[in-house]
Amino acid sequence: MGTCTGVNAISSASPTASISSTTQMAALRQHKQDYLKMMAAAQSGDATAAKAAYARLTANRTPPVKSPLAALGATLQSGDTAAIRQAAEALQQARDGQISKSADPNAPPPPKPIPAAAYGSSQTDINVLA
């Protein structure tokens, strides 16, 4: 009976996880769209559109004060299109740098998972609900 309860607990949690995952994916897609709109507008010199996209992008969170995103936000307030382009370029370079660091071919491989047998028990003794 314990096994049935465990299966029921997993299957009853699954719809909630699926809804949450779907909501998160939609939020990530919107975040990406806002970022791309902001960058395109900033690089083309459309300060008004860049400002609107920046406002949507940062509506629920404030970027760190010394971040390239915050610098772009401050520059957008000035309306100086040359400075806005420079700030957008700096943000893109910082973002590209983060991506290349995370994909560093010289980085050590992630640790291998420890087999259940190393814990002194068989795989059938592992509580997957814990």
Side-chain angles (χ1 to χ4, degrees), residues 61-112:
R61 59 189 152 301
T62 303
V65 176
K66 295 192 183 239
S67 70
L69 180 59
L72 177 57
T75 306
L76 285 168
Q77 297 305 316
S78 74
D80 180 348
T81 56
I84 291 169
R85 283 187 185 109
Q86 282 183 322
E89 185 177 317
L91 174 58
Q92 187 63 47
Q93 287 175 351
R95 185 172 183 265
D96 289 346
Q98 281 182 331
I99 291 170
S100 66
K101 283 181 187 176
S102 66
D104 183 3
N106 297 321
K112 294 181 180 178

Side-chain angles (χ1 to χ4, degrees), residues 18 21 29 51 54-55 58 71 76 80 89 93 101 103 110 115 126:
S18 178
S21 178
R29 273 194 300 276
K51 217 185 271 193
Y54 178 85
T58 59
L76 285 168
D80 180 348
E89 185 177 317
Q93 287 175 351
K101 283 181 187 176
I126 296 173

